[in-house]
Amino acid sequence: MTDSTLRPIADIADPQWEAIAAIPIVDDGMPLHALSLAAPALRVHPIYHALGVSGAVPECWAREAVYRRLLMVARSLPEGLGLVVLDAWRPYVVQRHFYDTLLRMVETRYADLDESDLRAMTRAFVSPPSDQPECPSPHLTGGAVDVALCDDDGMLLEMGSAFDEARPASHTVHFEHHAHDATTRTYRDRRRALYHTMWDAGFANLPSEWWHYSYGDQMWAWYRRESRAVFGPSSPDTLEKRWQRSLGLGD
């Protein structure tokens, strides 16, 4: 038993999206880095590409500050636990697909709810797609990451709900209130280890998803009480962009 598993996770306030969207962004210009280069300290499994999601990229890209903090987390977790990155920078087209798909399912399942409630339920698990400079989708910034825990052999550990599972058990603090046997206490302790190690490295957690953390985006700024976000919309470098820069053609 370690300190990070002994410390409960306090209830996390629900995000106030209007206030978050109003936080100014002053992008520091950090490029995206391929997280697979951090091996073997960090395990990377681009899950949406592996699942065949159209438009999903075969690499997990993140800003340098995120890259380095994830390495810090991987090296600070309790013995026997490893960090796996499942998703990071996400193209707009993929975000659009996820949001529209889940919204349609929620509308089908809860046909009696009004539009605002349906969209709120959807937003708890998928942010509305936006590539606007003043309020981009978190994953478009390169500051948001989806992570999980594994054992020394790289096997993903059970966390009490599957990654991307849209149900109450996915809320980060769920097992702080529903740990009634050895199995659920194990889920609780694993979430504690992940949460506290990520928080201590400077990340913020989306409370409806035990796997979603961010650094540098607007949600991070709101939870960490920063006056501004440092990451706006971004994208991996391309050969065309390098040629443009070398020829002085700008963007």
Side-chain angles (χ1 to χ4, degrees), residues 99 103 106 113-123:
Y99 183 81
L103 179 59
V106 170
L113 295 182
D114 62 32
E115 185 69 14
S116 62
D117 288 337
L118 293 169
R119 292 188 177 275
M121 291 182 67
T122 303
R123 186 165 197 163

Side-chain angles (χ1 to χ4, degrees), residues 147-148 159 161 163 170 172 191 194 205 209-213:
V147 294
M159 300 289 286
S161 75
F163 167 70
S170 292
T172 304
R191 292 190 187 192
L194 180 60
N205 171 247
E209 298 179 350
W210 59 258
W211 55 85
H212 181 105
Y213 288 84

Side-chain angles (χ1 to χ4, degrees), residues 133-175:
E134 67 276 8
C135 186
S137 302
H139 277 282
L140 192 63
T141 70
V145 291
D146 294 332
V147 294
L149 294 177
C150 68
D151 64 16
D152 288 335
D153 294 324
M155 296 293 293
L156 289 174
L157 296 173
E158 293 288 341
M159 300 289 286
S161 75
F163 167 70
D164 259 357
E165 195 169 4
R167 66 187 183 100
S170 292
H171 287 236
T172 304
V173 302
H174 178 79
F175 291 105

Side-chain angles (χ1 to χ4, degrees), residues 65-82:
V66 175
Y67 181 105
R68 296 192 182 282
R69 281 168 172 76
L70 288 172
L71 281 174
M72 186 188 309
V73 171
R75 292 163 178 159
S76 301
L77 283 167
E79 185 176 355
L81 297 180

Side-chain angles (χ1 to χ4, degrees), residues 98-113:
F98 287 165
Y99 183 81
D100 291 347
T101 300
L102 182 57
L103 179 59
R104 286 195 298 269
M105 291 182 179
V106 170
E107 288 172 339
T108 299
R109 175 63 178 81
Y110 300 100
D112 57 327
L113 295 182

Side-chain angles (χ1 to χ4, degrees), residues 52 61 85 88 94 104 134 143-144 147 152 155 201 214 241 243:
W61 298 88
V85 180
V94 176
R104 286 195 298 269
E134 67 276 8
V147 294
D152 288 335
M155 296 293 293
S214 66
K241 288 181 181 179
W243 285 342

Side-chain angles (χ1 to χ4, degrees), residues 237-251:
D237 204 7
T238 64
L239 181 59
E240 290 79 2
K241 288 181 181 179
R242 294 179 186 181
W243 285 342
Q244 286 177 337
R245 289 195 299 270
S246 67
L247 294 170
L249 298 176
D251 297 329

